[in-house]
Amino acid sequence: MKQSIKSLAVTGLVLLASTAFAAAQPAGSCCGSPGLTPSGPQSQEPVFQDLAKSGKKCWIGEVNYFIWEFDKTPKMGTSILIIKLFDKDGTRVTDLQITGRSDMPSMRGAHDSGEVAFKNNKTGDYLLPVNVVMPGDWEVRLTFSRNGIVIFRGRIAFDV
Ligand SMILES: [Cu+2]
């Protein structure tokens, strides 16, 4: 079986070679591959940059910024994380998808909420309930996407 695949590949190569001079696109270039190529060791975790303080502008490139706050100082129980998203001119927008994931960094995985999508209220605020189940160090990792493509990752850290 392997042999026949190999000979197929060889035939393909010969065919390719015979047309290579006509084709401007070299085989194996980015655009020629179907996007299924395993792209090397990609096991490193994504980086979540520490965000500016509550109420301060956090820029997403040069196109959007957002401001985050809790509905109240987080304590034991449920707090609501509120994100207001703006375009660069300061107009409120809701065209990004935001997910949040809360946990305790010092005991990672013990209270992992998993990725949870923020929901928009009618004002356009993005809202996420965060469940604080014990005192200590907490974080919420935020992921911003446009049309399913991640464009920004940020991290909010707080103590309870
Ligand atoms: Cu804990």
Side-chain angles (χ1 to χ4, degrees):
M1 194 59 189
K2 253 184 186 160
Q3 191 53 49
S4 66
I5 287 173
K6 198 172 180 184
S7 55
L8 261 178
V10 168
T11 313
L13 276 177
V14 171
L15 272 172
L16 266 180
S18 64
T19 55
F21 293 108
Q25 193 76 61
S29 80
C30 69
C31 308
S33 87
L36 299 172
T37 327
S39 49
Q42 223 173 21
S43 53
Q44 73 251 38
E45 290 213 356
V47 175
F48 290 81
Q49 65 183 77
D50 287 323
L51 294 179
K53 285 199 179 76
S54 177
K56 301 282 188 192
K57 289 181 183 178
C58 305
W59 282 94
I60 302 174
E62 296 173 350
V63 182
N64 292 101
Y65 69 87
F66 65 92
I67 289 169
W68 66 268
E69 64 184 357
F70 283 103
D71 64 329
K72 57 182 185 290
T73 304
K75 53 180 203 273
M76 290 286 286
T78 301
S79 298
I80 308 294
L81 178 56
I82 304 165
I83 291 179
K84 300 176 199 297
L85 181 66
F86 302 84
D87 68 12
K88 63 179 190 316
D89 301 318
T91 304
R92 290 289 293 273
V93 292
T94 55
D95 59 338
L96 299 184
Q97 300 82 49
I98 311 176
T99 60
R101 182 170 198 166
S102 57
D103 200 0
M104 294 186 78
S106 64
M107 44 193 303
R108 194 167 292 290
H111 317 290
D112 185 1
S113 68
E115 293 288 343
V116 180
F118 281 72
K119 295 207 169 102
N120 284 119
N121 66 12
K122 54 181 190 292
T123 322
D125 295 344
Y126 288 83
L127 306 176
L128 178 78
V130 176
N131 293 317
V132 172
V133 295
M134 65 176 273
D137 60 317
W138 281 84
E139 70 170 13
V140 183
R141 291 174 165 192
L142 304 175
T143 301
F144 292 70
S145 306
R146 175 173 280 130
N147 301 324
I149 296 168
V150 174
I151 59 169
F152 183 84
R153 292 186 175 93
R155 174 179 181 270
I156 294 167
F158 57 96
D159 283 302
V160 174

